[in-house]
Amino acid sequence: MDKKTTSLDGTSLAYHVTGRGPTVILVSGAMSTGGTMLPLAQRLSDSCTAVVYDRRGRGESGDTPPYEVDREVEDLAALLEAVGGDAALFGVSSGGALVLHAAASGLPVGRAAVYEVPYADHLTDGAAREAVYKEQLNKALAEDRRGDAVELFLRLTGLAEEMIRRARQAPMWAGMEALAPSLAHDDAVMGDGLLPRDRLAAVRVPVLAVAGGASPEWMHRAAQAVAEAVPQGTYRVLPGQTHMVEPEVLGPVLAEFLAG
């Protein structure tokens, strides 16, 4: 991140701009930073001006307590102003939930696209699972058990116990623990983990909701539900893709949508 701007509450935000064409701000999901979105930004750079940033509490950006989802909407407003006031938004996973929240709040963006926001409506135990995760996560973070918080998140994503044990021994674990407090931010953005139909009905811009063809069926249904809940929604599936979508596949689809 080579640029800085300041949010309404004084929080410093680090960001990077690449490419040319219509501007899109890329919003990362849980346990990730602006750097996670760089490969997609680079793929978009021939046709779009792509902006990546470290969400508050991550990477080179600051964090001003207490956290509220609206502060992250204000962060996006500050970025929008910093890059000229005319941009679209794209968010992946819980970052997509933030994008939808921002669009519903009336942030002046032209378009919004999301990839696999994990609303759990179509999981048999979705609501209960989300409630248990929220309680356990808040307890782990309150007790500064960052490793346990990361484990809870990895388990929520479906990662096998053996893989979680291996991750704890990997060099990347320290970086994951550093990001652990931001898991509470993503949990707040996701609310109760279910599709916020009333809020999505307030979105007044075109929305593209995308899922990977190789992802679980409930992810497909969640993306389709997003497209149906907003007034101007489009649903699309990318064959062969999973939650870890390849920039080379997503990039052209996103660029086409942003071009209008």
Side-chain angles (χ1 to χ4, degrees), residues 100 114-119 121-122 195 197 200 207-212 216-237:
L100 293 171
V114 298
Y115 187 84
E116 292 195 346
V117 183
Y119 294 127
D121 302 61
H122 299 99
L195 189 79
R197 297 183 185 279
L200 296 188
V207 173
L208 174 66
V210 187
E217 177 63 23
W218 70 272
M219 283 284 197
H220 299 178
R221 297 178 69 184
Q224 187 170 12
V226 168
E228 293 172 349
V230 298
Q232 303 177 67
T234 302
Y235 167 58
R236 184 158 178 178
V237 175

Side-chain angles (χ1 to χ4, degrees), residues 1 5-15 26-34 52-79 98 178-186 188-189:
M1 305 299 112
T5 192
T6 304
S7 193
L8 184 63
D9 69 349
T11 301
S12 177
L13 303 172
Y15 70 102
L26 308 181
V27 184
S28 63
M31 297 301 295
S32 59
T33 66
V52 299
Y53 75 107
D54 289 334
R55 290 171 58 188
R56 61 173 55 210
R58 313 173 195 219
E60 299 172 40
S61 290
D63 195 13
T64 305
Y67 177 83
E68 292 182 18
V69 177
D70 286 345
R71 300 295 81 77
E72 288 217 71
V73 176
E74 291 167 359
D75 295 348
L76 285 168
L79 284 166
L98 177 56
L179 287 171
S182 68
L183 286 170
H185 299 182
D186 288 281
V189 168

Side-chain angles (χ1 to χ4, degrees), residues 186-199:
D186 288 281
D187 183 60
V189 168
M190 289 299 299
D192 62 2
L194 304 180
L195 189 79
R197 297 183 185 279
D198 290 345
R199 183 182 303 142

Side-chain angles (χ1 to χ4, degrees), residues 129-255:
R129 186 188 75 158
E130 294 296 325
V132 170
Y133 170 73
K134 184 183 294 289
E135 179 182 1
Q136 293 180 344
L137 175 68
N138 290 337
K139 187 173 189 295
L141 291 176
E143 297 172 355
D144 200 31
R145 292 186 286 110
R146 295 189 176 195
D148 291 345
V150 174
E151 276 200 19
L152 286 168
F153 172 73
L154 295 178
R155 199 168 288 119
L156 183 73
T157 67
L159 194 65
E161 293 298 323
E162 177 60 27
M163 295 298 292
I164 292 174
R165 285 193 291 271
R166 290 181 184 177
R168 267 196 177 270
Q169 306 304 316
M172 65 179 181
W173 189 256
M176 296 175 76
E177 287 195 351
L179 287 171
S182 68
L183 286 170
H185 299 182
D186 288 281
D187 183 60
V189 168
M190 289 299 299
D192 62 2
L194 304 180
L195 189 79
R197 297 183 185 279
D198 290 345
R199 183 182 303 142
L200 296 188
V203 176
R204 294 292 178 257
V205 299
V207 173
L208 174 66
V210 187
S215 291
E217 177 63 23
W218 70 272
M219 283 284 197
H220 299 178
R221 297 178 69 184
Q224 187 170 12
V226 168
E228 293 172 349
V230 298
Q232 303 177 67
T234 302
Y235 167 58
R236 184 158 178 178
V237 175
L238 303 184
Q241 295 300 297
T242 66
H243 198 60
M244 303 298 289
V245 63
E246 298 173 19
E248 293 77 12
V249 177
L250 176 61
V253 172
L254 190 55

